[in-house]
Amino acid sequence: MTIRPILIHPDPRLKKLCAPVAGVDKDIAKLADDMLATMYDAPGVGLAAPQVGVLTRLFVMDCVKDKSAAPQPMVLINPEITWTSEETNVYEEGCLSIPEQYADVTRPKEVRMRWTGLDGQSHEEQFDGLWATCAQHELDHLDGKLFIDYLGPLKRQMITRKMEKLKREMARG
Ligand code: K2U
Ligand code: ZN
């Protein structure tokens, strides 16, 4: 497995609509393996393919909070939402592509998703808690949407300017 660099906002690749995965093959399996390694290394609880520069509809997540519990890595290929709860909740979200910036985002409290697994089979599951928030956050990435897109224009612009400054400093080394 390879830890891949994570793109930092603003980057046009983070705003693109990702293409469906045509077939589950060894390249997709390698991408998923690298994304899980990159996610755990960050650390994070989710990661979408466009965040490592691959504009395809795949994300990984593992929202197990108890570090003494066994990890529960999930790979969701061509995921789609099949149901959302009326009830919403607010979570202070972050993003590995927008480091050290956090803001409250309101999303449906529970969500059902259908996807293709690495086994090539169709799966469907209902998520709640952090799993629900993370799954919706990652699916947004596949549609070129970032959590800052739910904020007002001034707050979004302030965060973008901070990231532009960070990228200039990173470029200077
Ligand atoms: O997509 C990403 O950037 C990964 C996020 C996923 C995420 C964002 C907001 C809420 C839940 C998940 C990273 O995991 S951000 C780091 C993090 C870690 C623990 C809890 C929340 C966020
Ligand atoms: Zn994110």
Side-chain angles (χ1 to χ4, degrees):
M1 47 95 187
T2 309
I3 293 172
R4 301 191 187 203
I6 295 175
L7 301 183
I8 302 298
H9 168 76
D11 185 309
R13 290 166 288 182
L14 293 172
K15 301 303 287 175
K16 290 269 192 280
L17 182 67
C18 294
V21 172
V24 180
D25 58 17
K26 63 176 176 46
D27 294 336
I28 287 294
K30 168 77 167 99
L31 172 62
D33 189 51
D34 289 355
M35 285 174 60
L36 281 166
T38 303
M39 179 191 77
Y40 287 124
D41 177 70
V45 297
L47 189 68
Q51 292 182 274
V52 292
V54 182
L55 303 188
T56 196
R57 300 189 76 79
L58 183 160
F59 69 77
V60 297
M61 63 179 176
D62 180 351
C63 299
V64 171
K65 291 181 195 167
D66 177 355
K67 292 306 162 208
S68 61
Q72 208 175 310
M74 293 190 75
V75 177
L76 290 82
I77 299 164
N78 297 333
E80 51 195 13
I81 290 178
T82 56
W83 171 84
T84 56
S85 62
E86 292 279 311
E87 199 180 352
T88 61
N89 74 356
V90 180
Y91 193 93
E92 190 182 33
E93 297 196 12
C95 182
L96 295 176
S97 294
I98 311 176
E100 298 177 24
Q101 305 302 311
Y102 301 94
D104 285 349
V105 176
T106 302
R107 297 184 190 268
K109 189 178 172 66
E110 294 184 85
V111 64
R112 274 185 80 74
M113 276 194 186
R114 183 171 46 230
W115 69 93
T116 302
L118 283 177
D119 57 4
Q121 300 302 306
S122 180
H123 299 258
E124 186 160 8
E125 206 172 307
Q126 187 158 317
F127 298 108
D128 62 7
L130 182 57
W131 289 92
T133 299
C134 182
Q136 293 175 85
H137 176 109
E138 302 310 334
L139 185 58
D140 271 352
H141 272 298
L142 307 188
D143 294 329
K145 192 161 187 170
L146 302 173
F147 83 90
I148 58 171
D149 295 330
Y150 294 94
L151 310 182
L154 287 179
K155 176 116 170 120
R156 181 167 56 251
Q157 192 178 65
M158 184 189 71
I159 291 174
T160 299
R161 293 232 169 101
K162 280 185 182 176
M163 293 297 103
E164 287 167 338
K165 183 170 182 283
L166 173 69
K167 291 176 80 166
R168 285 196 300 272
E169 287 161 359
M170 286 166 70
R172 280 201 291 270

